[in-house]
Structures are given as C-alpha cells and as structure tokens.
Amino acid sequence: MSELSVNHLLGIKYLNENDMNLIFETADHFKEVINRSIKKVPSLRDITIANLFFENSTRTRLSFELAEKRLSADVINFSAASSSVKKGETLIDTVNNILSMKVDMVVMRHPNPGAGVFLSKNVKASIVNAGDGAHEHPTQALLDTYSIREKFGDVAGKNVVIVGDILHSRVALSNIFALKLLGANVKVCGPKTLIPKFIESLGVQVETNLRTALQWCDVANMLRVQNERMAINYFPSTREYTQQFGVNKMLLDSLDKEIVIMHPGPINRGVEITSDVADSKQSIILDQVENGVAIRMAVIYLLASKIK
Ligand code: NCD
C-alpha cells in the first residue's frame, strides 16, 4: 500500500487509516531530510504549485511554501488581499486563470466551508485544503496527530482533550476525525455555547469542567477563540473565558500527572494559555510547527505521485 486512496486532500473525513499511516511514514523520511545540512530533494522538479490564500495565514502559508521548495517544486503565491478577487472575479475564474499557466497543484485557504471540494469538481488540478472556513484543516490535524505519535510512540488509546472554541474551529473537526481514525479517546471542553450540538455523534464526549478534562487527558490541544467568525457574543467576557477555560502554570502543576500541551497557533497569550505554559517543557507547540513542514512535504509528494 504505497499510494493514497485520494487524488486531493480535501479533509480528514475522506482519508482512511492506511492513508494516515502512509503520510506519517513518508513524513518520517522527510523529517530526516530537513534535518540534514542539505535540506532539499529534487523529487518535484517538474511540478508547479499555486498557493492561493483567500484568508489570513502565517504558519500554514510559510509551512506549505517551505515544504514545496524543499521538494524543489516551482511555487507561485497568491493572496486575496492584493488580487482581482477584490474586483469581483469568481473563484473558478481566478483559479482557471492561474491553472492556464500550467499549474499542477493548488493549495487553498478559503473562508467558505466546502471551497476545496467545489474546486476539485471544477478544475483540473490536485487540490490541497489549507483550511476552509470553520470546516476542515486536514494538514493541521495530520501534523497534530503526527506530533502525538512522535511524543508517545502511538496515537491509539491516548486520551486527548480539545479545549476552546469547538464550534468555529476547523482544527477541532479535523483533529476529531484524525484522532478517532487512529483510535484515540477524545473529549472536547469549552463554554456550552461554543460546543456544537452534534459533537457527540462524532464519538467524542463533552466535558465542561477544565480541571476534570485535564486530569483525564494525556494531551490537551488548546484552541484560540475564533473571534473573526463570531457575529454575536458566545461568552460574557475574555476574562471570564480565561478564568474557566484558560490553562496557567498553577493549574498545570496542580494536576497529579504531567500532560502534554499543544496549540495550532496563533496563540493569544494570556487568554487560552499563559506564556509560562506555552513556553514550558510540557508544551510541544514548536515541535508541531517543525513537523508541519515534514507532513506537508509528505502530502504534496504523495499527491504529486498520483498526477504523473
Ligand atoms: C489555525 C487556523 O487557521 O485554522 N491556525 C493555523 O492554521 N495554524 C487556528 C487558528 O487560527 O486559531
């Protein structure tokens, strides 16, 4: 089994366990490559990739671009803020114009859920979803589960709590799919108003008390409150949110076990986690970022091998 079952990476929902393991094994190889003094391989010399970012991004955009360059692909970058989208061009027109420059793969972040699926049905290129609204963020979930596997040797049987704004988070949904696929036990924790009603149907449990959730888990994945996706107030104030759902060093030290802290970034220091937690030895936040490049190299490499 050395091929992905899919031609696009649109969401974890479309992957099976073999796909995940193949991506992890390929990432193991690339992680070794990017730690060499010559960090580049010629694998994708004949592939052109367009990174289309219709929504803000720092880590994900840089990580994809670096992954593509490490594989020796030709790369073009597009960000909506400086493009003709502002002049009223449709998504299909924008993308088809870019594809007529002979682009093989499109990495796209878009504010609309399902934008990647829509594109995959309408254009001739391999599509990688780099985050579609509050829907999925598959490479983030891959790098998160890869980081758990790296830390513990295995994801199966681990207790993982995802804390925060579950309702608006694509990281939460993709992580739930990935963790369940690999056999982890998953709980979500946050204000009731930020936990979708359907969540238990995904096989996860809801825990509204943070201390109880932390006491149960091996890993806490702390999410940012997605204020930009909220038209109304979902909790009284940031201060109250932090009091109930923020992790500080005192809380962490008061547990009778040493848990691992993860965060996809960007961190709002002092809101979901304090600086001393973010920078503590229990945090693997920067390992996640490092693993992101290897995971994205693996995804792009495996999808590109299906184009030829
Ligand atoms: C996440 C995103 O954009 O969904 N960040 C990321 O990709 N590193 C999470 C967030 O914005 O809070």
Side-chain angles (χ1 to χ4, degrees):
M1 191 45 218
S2 59
E3 217 184 46
L4 290 176
S5 68
V6 291
N7 295 322
H8 310 276
L9 180 65
L10 301 172
I12 301 290
K13 190 166 60 197
Y14 306 103
L15 300 184
N16 59 40
E17 203 184 335
N18 284 336
D19 292 328
M20 301 269 302
N21 288 326
L22 177 60
I23 294 169
F24 287 175
E25 282 155 25
T26 312
D28 285 341
H29 167 70
F30 285 130
K31 185 155 177 179
E32 192 251 309
V33 168
I34 56 182
N35 280 299
R36 289 184 200 155
S37 52
I38 296 168
K39 300 176 173 57
K40 218 166 155 152
V41 286
S43 320
L44 298 195
R45 249 189 343 218
D46 51 348
I47 293 280
T48 305
I49 305 178
N51 298 316
L52 312 187
F53 278 72
F54 295 88
E55 211 186 57
N56 293 344
S57 173
T58 310
R59 254 158 305 272
T60 306
R61 192 168 52 79
L62 292 178
S63 180
F64 268 111
E65 192 175 340
L66 198 57
E68 292 152 4
K69 289 184 169 161
R70 298 267 192 260
L71 290 167
S72 306
D74 288 325
V75 179
I76 53 173
N77 288 307
F78 161 98
S79 109
S82 56
S83 73
S84 287
V85 174
K86 292 268 182 274
K87 300 180 187 169
E89 190 170 63
T90 65
L91 177 61
I92 296 280
D93 280 342
T94 304
V95 175
N96 272 330
N97 272 280
I98 292 166
L99 291 183
S100 59
M101 301 174 204
K102 304 277 176 282
V103 168
D104 305 290
M105 192 181 291
V106 172
V107 174
M108 183 172 75
R109 170 167 286 195
H110 199 279
N112 294 351
V117 174
F118 176 73
L119 209 58
S120 70
K121 289 185 177 148
N122 288 285
V123 303
K124 256 193 86 205
S126 181
I127 311 294
V128 180
N129 177 7
D132 58 334
H135 181 222
E136 278 227 41
H137 190 352
T139 54
Q140 182 69 45
L142 285 165
L143 76 89
D144 288 343
T145 43
Y146 182 79
S147 301
I148 294 173
R149 169 185 175 267
E150 183 178 68
K151 183 79 191 172
F152 293 98
D154 201 357
V155 180
K158 296 293 162 304
N159 292 348
V160 181
V161 63
I162 305 172
V163 182
D165 182 359
I166 312 300
L167 182 66
H168 300 103
S169 171
R170 52 194 174 209
V171 176
L173 191 60
S174 287
N175 259 273
I176 290 170
F177 288 141
L179 289 163
K180 296 298 295 179
L181 202 55
L182 297 174
N185 307 309
V186 185
K187 289 191 182 184
V188 293
C189 179
K192 278 204 180 91
T193 49
L194 289 178
I195 295 184
K197 294 204 170 49
F198 67 83
I199 204 80
E200 283 176 338
S201 69
L202 301 179
V204 311
Q205 287 173 296
V206 178
E207 174 55 68
T208 46
N209 183 284
L210 179 64
R211 166 178 286 281
T212 312
L214 295 181
Q215 196 59 62
W216 167 83
C217 76
D218 300 303
V219 179
N221 195 350
M222 307 300 300
L223 303 182
R224 183 179 66 87
V225 175
Q226 308 271 301
N227 287 310
E228 70 276 25
R229 299 191 203 285
M230 295 180 188
I232 55 165
N233 287 341
Y234 285 82
F235 48 86
S237 69
T238 302
R239 217 169 82 143
E240 261 180 85
Y241 177 86
T242 301
Q243 272 169 5
Q244 275 194 60
F245 299 104
V247 174
N248 57 41
K249 199 71 174 53
M250 211 161 63
L251 174 57
L252 209 55
D253 291 344
S254 74
L255 305 173
D256 53 30
K257 65 205 274 206
E258 201 168 279
I259 65 166
V260 169
I261 298 290
M262 296 176 66
H263 195 305
I267 302 173
N268 281 159
R269 286 178 182 252
V271 181
E272 62 272 8
I273 48 174
T274 51
S275 277
D276 49 7
V277 170
D279 304 331
S280 72
K281 63 177 188 359
Q282 280 164 264
S283 152
I284 58 164
I285 296 171
L286 293 177
D287 300 316
Q288 290 174 261
V289 178
E290 181 185 344
N291 288 336
V293 178
I295 280 288
R296 291 180 173 111
M297 285 174 82
V299 165
I300 291 165
Y301 174 82
L302 290 166
L303 288 176
S305 68
K306 298 198 76 173
I307 297 173
K308 288 176 211 167

